[in-house]
Every structure is written in C-alpha cells, then in structure tokens.
Amino acid sequence: MRACSPTHLKSLMKQSSWLTEHPSALDMFEEILHVSEGKQIVMFLDYDGTLSPIVDDPDRAFMSKKMRRTVRKLANCFPTAIISGRCREKVYNFVKLTELYYAGSHGMDIKGPEQGSKYKDVSFFDKSLLCQPATEFLPMIDEVYQKLVEKTNLTPGANIENNKFCVSVHFRRVDEKNWSDLANQVRSVMKDYPELRLTQGRKVLEIRPIIKWDKGKALEFLLESLGYANCTDVFPLYIGDDRTDEDAFKILRERRQGLGILVSKIPKETNAFYSLQEPDEVMDFLQRLVEWKQLRSGA
C-alpha cells in the first residue's frame, strides 16, 4: 500500500529527478576518467559517512579492513588526503595509514605523511608540515568543551567530543523530544563566546572559531602545498557526505576544476556533481580508480 501512495510516488519522482542532476559516480565512471584525462588526480575524502558508516557511538566509527586496504592502494596511486571534522589524531587512529595527508577539525589542523611525499616537487610537504590557523582559540575551545559537558550532563544520549580546534555535540542517541532543549543548552553556553560559531551536520552540532577557514580552504592549501596551486593539469576529486563538505564542493565549482561527489541515499541540495549512496559504493569507486591507474601504469 505504501509503495502505491501519492507521497511515496512523489518521493520516487524527487529521487529520480535528483539523480538526473547528480548521477551515480559509478555509472558515470568512464565520463569522469574522460574529463580527467591527462591530469593529475588528487583525492580528498571525508571520514565519517564516507569511509566509515555513520554509527550511534562516534568513538566506534571504525572503517572496515577492506576499506583500509583500498585507501592504502589509492594513496599509492594518487596524492590522498582525509579532511574531517574530527581531531586529526582521532582520524589517524581510525585510519592508521602513514601514506596520507590528514586535515582534522574541519581543516584547521593539517599534517603531511610521516614518510614524506613522492608527488611532484613538494619536498617541504613532509612530516614537518603543520598548518594550524586557529591555534589562538585552543584555550577557548577547551573551556567551551568543559562547560558543555557540565551543561548537557542531564541530557541522556548527548555526547560532547573535543576535536581540538572545534567541539562536536552529537545528538544521534538523544530522544527527539529533547533535541530542542539540547540546542538551547548549547546556545546558552555559546552566547558568552562571540568568537565562535555554531553549525549543524548529520545529527551533530559543531562549534568552531569564526575564521575564514573551512574544508574548502583546507583543500586549496593542500593543492598549493602539493605544488598544484596554479596548475591546469590537476584534477581534484572530493568525496564527502556532510554539510561541511559543501565548502569544498563549492570551491571546486568556483575553480572549474575537478569535481565533488556527495555520499547520500536521499536528495540534498549540493554543489557536488555526482553522488554515491553509501561507504560501500565509495569503496567500489575508489577500487575502480585504483584498478584503472594500475592498468595504465602497467601499460
């Protein structure tokens, strides 16, 4: 009965229309290869919801062993960075790959591979690289974290995460009837900190410094550090599932360079060109990229 209802049919039509505008990156794989022909692909990946599934407990957002193997192979084929809202150390502990560039706290904490870079002329971009444009806010972030822990202590399911340069208030395990109260608790703390801003992701509230820095700026910094700042022969590919990834998608559109891929099962307003439905599809897409590169190298 539900499948024949007007609401369900309208939803299917909306999904179909959205997929026309943002087709599957797997279905359009050959076209993506065509537009990247002759250019250096550089990979940018979100973590939660992209390389790992979204889970109730953010401390258990583990990536699969198969995904880790795929990302390792990817990094051996292309410069690869993970840009996450998590603190950099936490993302690294999840991923455990030394070949990658890691940008934590929505790009406010960037570090190069421990073994250095093997791409282009980027000798300075090695394990000594450290970009932290919001260092002055660290004491304030710690203070806000402590206040939020105390303020939300009586809200069942609320999880306050200190991500070094930002604070995340997870409410995935909070009863929906308490969401409004939790948001008010967060705002009551925020009113004393005009230097910080509040944004929302997938069942998470994010508190971060009001500076001109986001995942899009981190993407540009990494491209510049890799030696591709003003190059026309570079093709950045950014895959992410969150609102904060839209800053990177927007940058790619503005640069008219590379493309963004949104990970989502439902239609969303986005600056991404293509879509994938879930981390398993992300893994399939990355594996196809690896196989294509290995075939080209072998040839």
Side-chain angles (χ1 to χ4, degrees):
M1 290 175 65
R2 181 177 176 276
C4 297
S5 71
T7 303
H8 184 67
L9 290 174
K10 187 177 179 181
S11 175
L12 287 175
M13 289 173 65
K14 185 179 179 182
Q15 177 83 5
S16 176
S17 172
W18 188 80
L19 283 172
T20 301
E21 294 180 24
H22 310 285
S24 165
L26 287 170
D27 293 344
M28 304 300 289
F29 187 76
E30 294 301 323
E31 182 174 313
I32 293 171
L33 293 183
H34 176 70
V35 295
S36 67
E37 184 68 34
K39 299 177 182 178
Q40 170 65 62
I41 292 175
V42 182
M43 296 300 305
F44 297 93
L45 306 165
D46 184 23
Y47 182 74
D48 294 273
T50 300
L51 298 181
S52 74
I54 295 291
V55 294
D56 287 343
D57 184 354
D59 290 331
R60 300 193 63 79
F62 303 118
M63 69 192 303
S64 68
K65 291 180 180 178
K66 191 174 180 182
M67 178 68 89
R68 182 175 290 106
R69 286 195 298 269
T70 301
V71 174
R72 176 181 281 120
K73 292 175 185 175
L74 185 77
N76 286 328
C77 294
F78 313 102
T80 301
I82 293 179
I83 305 181
S84 170
R86 304 275 199 139
C87 75
R88 176 170 51 81
E89 291 86 353
K90 190 167 289 185
V91 177
Y92 177 80
N93 286 335
F94 277 133
V95 180
K96 293 184 172 68
L97 295 176
T98 59
E99 302 95 330
L100 308 183
Y101 306 97
Y102 289 90
S105 304
H106 300 289
M108 288 183 283
D109 188 6
I110 301 174
K111 199 171 189 298
E114 291 187 9
Q115 60 193 43
S117 173
K118 63 178 181 180
Y119 301 100
K120 216 168 170 65
D121 183 20
V122 286
S123 56
F124 100 95
F125 194 60
D126 54 21
K127 62 183 179 181
S128 64
L129 173 91
L130 194 64
C131 175
Q132 297 179 329
T135 305
E136 64 186 283
F137 291 93
L138 282 174
M140 187 183 298
I141 291 293
D142 286 338
E143 190 175 299
V144 168
Y145 168 74
Q146 293 296 337
K147 287 187 177 182
L148 284 171
V149 169
E150 295 169 10
K151 194 79 173 178
T152 64
N153 187 43
L154 297 179
T155 303
N159 185 324
I160 315 301
E161 185 178 19
N162 188 337
N163 283 313
K164 193 168 182 175
F165 291 95
C166 59
V167 179
S168 301
V169 181
H170 299 275
F171 57 92
R172 186 168 296 275
R173 294 195 291 180
V174 175
D175 192 305
E176 190 170 347
K177 68 176 186 292
N178 296 324
W179 286 1
S180 181
D181 288 341
L182 178 63
N184 289 333
Q185 291 168 359
V186 173
R187 290 191 191 98
S188 71
V189 171
M190 289 285 294
K191 66 180 174 59
D192 296 325
Y193 298 92
E195 303 94 334
L196 303 177
R197 63 179 169 136
L198 181 66
T199 59
Q200 185 173 335
R202 293 179 65 178
K203 293 191 177 177
V204 62
L205 298 173
E206 304 275 9
I207 295 129
R208 42 184 167 147
I210 297 179
I211 62 171
K212 291 183 178 180
W213 198 268
D214 51 38
K215 289 186 175 182
K217 295 290 185 185
L219 180 150
E220 289 189 307
F221 172 83
L222 285 163
L223 284 176
E224 183 178 347
S225 300
L226 280 161
Y228 296 117
N230 300 305
C231 293
T232 56
D233 61 345
V234 62
F235 194 83
L237 268 173
Y238 190 109
I239 307 178
D241 74 306
D242 198 69
R243 284 187 190 181
T244 56
D245 298 309
E246 290 297 327
D247 294 318
F249 296 153
K250 185 180 178 183
I251 286 291
L252 293 179
R253 276 195 180 268
E254 290 173 353
R255 292 169 66 105
R256 297 183 179 181
Q257 193 174 50
L259 55 87
I261 300 173
L262 176 69
V263 184
S264 178
K265 289 185 176 181
I266 59 173
K268 292 181 181 179
E269 188 175 336
T270 181
N271 282 299
F273 285 87
Y274 298 108
S275 64
L276 292 167
Q277 290 208 356
E278 57 192 358
D280 280 348
E281 285 199 354
V282 173
M283 183 166 61
D284 289 346
F285 180 82
L286 299 181
Q287 186 59 44
R288 286 183 68 178
L289 270 180
V290 168
E291 290 169 359
W292 168 79
K293 180 67 174 179
Q294 289 174 340
L295 226 91
R296 297 262 306 209
S297 300

